[in-house]
Amino acid sequence: MTTKKALITGITGQDGSYLAELLLKNGYEVFGIARKDSSNYWRISHILDKINILNGDVTDAKFLEGTIQRITPDEVYNLGARSFVGSSFDNPVQITEINALGYLKLLEAIRKNAPDSKLYQASTSELFGNAIQTPQNENTPFSPRNPYGITKLFCHWCTINYRATHGIFACNGIMFNHESPRRGIEYVTRKITDGVAKIAAGKQEKITLGNLDTKRDWGFAGDYVEAMWIMLQQKNPDDFVIATGEMRSVGEFCKLAFEYAGIDDWEKRVEINPAFARLPETNLLCGDCSKAKKILGWKPTVSFKELVKGMVEADMERQKTNKNIL
């Protein structure tokens, strides 16, 4: 039996690391693209000897074509993107070049050199933005509210176009927020758990946040990468919303995080700075994953409480061992 080959862009990120583990578990030969200047390998340090790292840039068409031609992967997972919404307002041109044009170059590389490869595109709930209905499903009209969401909308329609026009097996996974102990420190969930761990260790006194009333549909990244893989095992390509269907506020996340750390009076430990709030804010984003449950047989396995607990415990352990990994 021939070993399947998979290529992951953004393998050093949260999702890339969990996906690489899943693919290795399923017997794949795993290749991952990482920026030449990247030193951020902490998420995959434990599997570096089991995967093949390719240093390159997703905006480099020549590099992408050569990589696809050389590997001829069975599956390609495009997770490489600038995904922090806040910074997209400051660098809209750069994020468009990376997220949108980089993906188009990847599509062309596949079309020309490995048209039989199956492709997963990491889409996002930010497509819905100013949503006219809650919860959102695959038929909800798109209305992105930030440059990041706009770049992802471009990618979403490119996927559909290349699927229809060129017959490429390409899927969009419309992923709602998914977190883990491997989440970047710039994201509010990790900012909370890292801050709570430092407060518990006596290294700081408070956390500064933007808006405690903001609500999101939060799931566990490990569950969500499984959905990515399942999509590419189907007979026909399609697009799927991946979510928990439950909304929780930043305040609820804070309360639980402090409780798991054994810290009372959490409200006194949180400062509100309006400058940290995202503008313009999206409407209530909550996903309806009924289609994924029915067709893929997928459903989330980690509860909101389990997610928060796991993140807090991981950050508290990092403080104990002085591994201040971000």
Side-chain angles (χ1 to χ4, degrees):
M1 183 176 179
T2 305
T3 300
K4 281 189 175 183
K5 293 178 289 184
L7 174 65
I8 304 171
T9 69
I11 195 169
T12 60
Q14 169 187 255
D15 291 4
S17 66
Y18 281 111
L19 179 60
E21 290 174 344
L22 175 65
L23 293 172
L24 288 172
K25 182 179 178 181
N26 286 319
Y28 284 68
E29 183 177 5
V30 177
F31 297 82
I33 294 177
R35 294 192 310 273
K36 294 178 181 179
D37 60 349
S38 177
S39 59
N40 194 23
Y41 287 90
W42 65 270
R43 296 180 181 92
I44 57 172
S45 60
H46 61 296
I47 55 171
L48 271 175
D49 61 335
K50 299 181 179 67
I51 59 180
N52 305 283
I53 295 294
L54 310 172
N55 292 123
D57 196 312
V58 294
T59 64
D60 185 340
K62 185 176 181 180
F63 165 74
L64 290 174
E65 290 206 15
T67 298
I68 295 295
Q69 189 176 49
R70 183 172 68 256
I71 298 174
T72 58
D74 297 282
E75 297 170 9
V76 178
Y77 296 86
N78 185 45
L79 310 183
R82 293 292 174 88
S83 59
F84 185 54
V85 171
S87 65
S88 72
F89 289 101
D90 300 322
N91 300 292
V93 174
Q94 182 185 54
I95 199 171
T96 299
E97 291 175 343
I98 295 171
N99 293 6
L101 297 183
Y103 180 56
L104 183 58
K105 292 172 184 178
L106 177 63
L107 276 167
E108 278 293 279
I110 292 171
R111 181 183 68 83
K112 294 176 182 178
N113 301 286
D116 293 330
S117 295
K118 292 185 175 183
L119 172 64
Y120 170 83
Q121 163 59 14
S123 198
T124 170
S125 60
E126 293 292 334
L127 297 184
F128 298 118
N130 195 26
I132 62 173
Q133 68 181 57
T134 301
Q136 295 87 39
N137 60 35
E138 293 80 5
N139 298 315
T140 302
F142 298 132
S143 181
R145 298 271 283 171
N146 52 65
Y148 168 69
I150 292 169
T151 66
K152 286 295 190 173
L153 183 56
F154 175 87
C155 296
H156 185 92
W157 282 111
C158 282
T159 301
I160 293 172
N161 180 266
Y162 271 69
R163 188 166 68 206
T165 305
H166 303 295
I168 291 176
F169 190 112
C171 300
N172 285 304
I174 306 175
M175 301 280 168
F176 281 65
N177 291 64
H178 45 288
E179 319 298 315
S180 76
R182 301 179 191 176
R183 193 55 144 154
I185 196 66
E186 67 271 22
Y187 294 89
V188 66
T189 53
R190 183 73 201 295
K191 183 178 182 180
I192 292 169
T193 60
D194 178 69
V196 166
K198 288 176 179 175
I199 291 171
K203 297 180 180 180
Q204 69 182 51
E205 295 183 357
K206 294 184 178 182
I207 304 172
T208 304
L209 300 172
N211 185 355
L212 296 182
D213 296 325
T214 297
K215 291 185 177 181
R216 289 289 181 269
D217 181 334
W218 279 305
F220 172 55
D223 284 342
Y224 285 44
V225 300
E226 184 176 10
M228 300 175 189
W229 177 74
I230 295 173
M231 286 182 208
L232 298 196
Q233 312 315 308
Q234 302 304 300
K235 183 177 180 181
N236 299 307
D238 206 345
D239 307 321
F240 296 90
V241 164
I242 303 298
T244 69
E246 298 180 0
M247 296 193 69
R248 306 283 184 166
S249 71
V250 173
E252 288 179 86
F253 199 105
C254 279
K255 183 176 183 295
L256 276 177
F258 277 102
E259 286 179 359
Y260 287 130
I263 300 172
D264 298 324
D265 300 325
W266 70 272
E267 295 98 332
K268 297 179 181 179
R269 303 280 190 164
V270 178
E271 288 185 343
I272 302 301
N273 184 343
F276 286 10
R278 185 198 302 177
L279 294 174
E281 184 59 88
T282 57
N283 281 359
L284 297 179
L285 297 182
C286 182
D288 175 5
C289 62
S290 299
K291 180 179 176 181
K293 289 181 178 179
K294 180 179 179 181
I295 297 177
L296 304 179
W298 177 89
K299 64 180 180 180
T301 66
V302 177
S303 70
F304 176 71
K305 289 184 177 181
E306 290 170 333
L307 173 65
V308 178
K309 186 174 186 289
M311 292 179 69
V312 170
E313 290 177 344
D315 274 324
M316 290 183 71
E317 183 61 28
R318 286 169 181 149
Q319 292 304 316
K320 290 179 182 178
T321 57
N322 291 317
K323 291 183 178 179
N324 194 21
I325 296 171
L326 303 181

